[in-house]
Amino acid sequence: MSAPSTDGPIRYEQPLPHVVRIVLARPDVRNAQDREMLYALDDAYSRAVRDSETRVVILAADGPDFSSGHDLTEAWDMNGVRPRTLTGGFDAPGAEGWFATEEELFTGLCLRWRDLPRPVIAQVQGRVIAGGLMLVWPCDLVVAAEDATFADPVGAFDVNGAEYFTHLWELGARRAKRFLFTGDPITAREAQAIGMVNDVVPAAELAQATLELAARIARRPPFGIRLAKRALNQGLDLQGQRASVEAAFGLHHLAHTHNRVLHDRIVDPSGVDVIRAPTPRHSSGSPES
Ligand code: ZN
């Protein structure tokens, strides 16, 4: 164990032997992701798995909301970036530059994180919106506070969904369609009922419950856990998950290019009004609504 260290938007902690906790530390902007945060998170994951003592990683977040998605105030300038994937051409004209940028920052990093050789537990409270899902879904386990909600409302902006498109596996086809077509959030309890979330606990107990789960896993021999994760992720690949993410990413960029032609922006700006429109009662489709 060692004292927590903060690397800008990410904090690195070791709350127990063999357990690393990585914390999103931009609560003032509801942990919106900018380029710096994504690379700091990638650095923290790299540090965790290169430490031979690490057996379990927790991904947590400061503040009331886990993540509000991409930071839309960010210019996403890639000057000086050393890519973590084998891509490039970030300044290329037309669709090429933005395709390369998102391939590196979003699908590329998410697929790297999904296959980390140690189990990762997402510790989730409050809202998880669009790009926020891309931090949670690559994790192996999800422990959620009772107040957690999950939503991908980007259909309002004339785009198919967040870039890491594993909605089919997380939600099932029928529910994924409603999730994307309406943008309605699902609750932690509903997410648990469909298998997207493992455990739901009172918000006050979230950190301790997640730590206890991590400690239980950390008591087991790490290579077996690593192989179990790999076997299951290979199964997802055999089901076509990785190919599906890459196929949907192509459609996502068709949408960005479409919006650039129509609006000179990567998304339809009228989506803000669509999202702010009042939602009727009984809108979530949740068993609890
Ligand atoms: Zn995008």
Side-chain angles (χ1 to χ4, degrees):
M1 286 185 282
S2 61
S5 60
T6 299
D7 179 15
I10 295 290
R11 195 168 62 254
Y12 190 96
E13 304 172 347
Q14 291 183 275
L16 291 174
H18 307 301
V19 177
V20 167
R21 183 164 54 211
I22 298 167
V23 186
L24 310 177
R26 296 186 83 204
D28 48 320
V29 290
R30 295 184 292 140
N31 295 308
Q33 308 145 28
D34 59 6
R35 195 192 71 180
E36 186 187 0
M37 174 188 264
L38 293 173
Y39 282 109
L41 178 56
D42 193 68
D43 288 340
Y45 276 141
S46 299
R47 175 180 168 186
V49 299
R50 285 172 187 156
D51 180 346
S52 60
E53 289 297 306
T54 302
R55 294 189 175 190
V56 183
V57 179
I58 295 169
L59 177 63
D62 284 341
D65 293 310
F66 182 86
S67 178
S68 58
H70 303 327
D71 186 343
L72 300 178
T73 65
E74 163 86 355
W76 299 100
D77 178 3
M78 298 295 279
N79 277 335
V81 164
R82 183 179 59 81
R84 310 295 163 93
T85 63
L86 292 174
T87 189
F90 303 123
D91 296 327
E96 185 180 355
W98 189 240
F99 184 87
T101 298
E102 290 206 343
E103 185 175 45
E104 158 68 9
L105 287 173
F106 303 149
T107 53
L109 290 179
C110 286
L111 289 167
R112 266 163 72 81
W113 300 338
R114 193 203 74 157
D115 289 332
L116 287 177
R118 294 287 177 238
V120 184
I121 308 172
Q123 173 187 311
V124 180
Q125 78 281 6
R127 284 174 290 186
V128 182
I129 302 171
L133 298 168
M134 296 171 24
L135 303 183
V136 174
W137 285 351
C139 296
D140 302 297
L141 302 172
V142 182
V143 179
E146 287 168 337
D147 71 343
T149 61
F150 304 84
D152 189 353
V154 303
F157 296 92
D158 221 0
V159 178
N160 52 327
E163 290 85 356
Y164 181 70
F165 202 89
T166 54
H167 303 61
L168 174 59
W169 282 267
E170 299 293 350
L171 300 163
R174 192 78 67 197
R175 199 176 294 263
K177 288 175 183 173
R178 194 185 199 288
F179 189 70
L180 288 164
F181 295 172
T182 66
D184 288 345
I186 62 171
T187 65
R189 292 280 180 206
E190 187 182 12
Q192 184 185 35
I194 63 173
M196 202 193 98
V197 159
N198 294 95
D199 303 331
V200 179
V201 299
E205 299 169 19
L206 177 65
Q208 185 59 29
T210 309
L211 202 54
E212 286 173 7
L213 178 61
R216 289 186 60 202
I217 297 168
R219 283 197 288 271
R220 302 171 83 86
F223 191 45
I225 301 294
R226 178 177 184 162
L227 295 179
K229 171 170 179 169
R230 192 177 178 98
L232 290 167
N233 282 6
Q234 285 172 334
L236 291 171
D237 286 339
L238 290 169
Q239 290 176 340
Q241 190 187 66
R242 180 177 292 262
S244 179
V245 167
E246 288 173 356
F249 184 66
L251 300 180
H252 181 92
H253 277 268
L254 172 62
H256 278 328
T257 305
H258 172 74
N259 285 307
R260 273 186 148 157
V261 170
L262 291 183
H263 310 294
D264 200 25
R265 300 180 190 196
I266 58 169
V267 297
D268 182 343
S270 68
V272 174
D273 296 329
V274 175
I275 283 179
R276 288 181 180 160
T279 312
R281 246 181 111 234
H282 303 304
S283 63
S284 76
S286 160
E288 296 179 330
S289 66

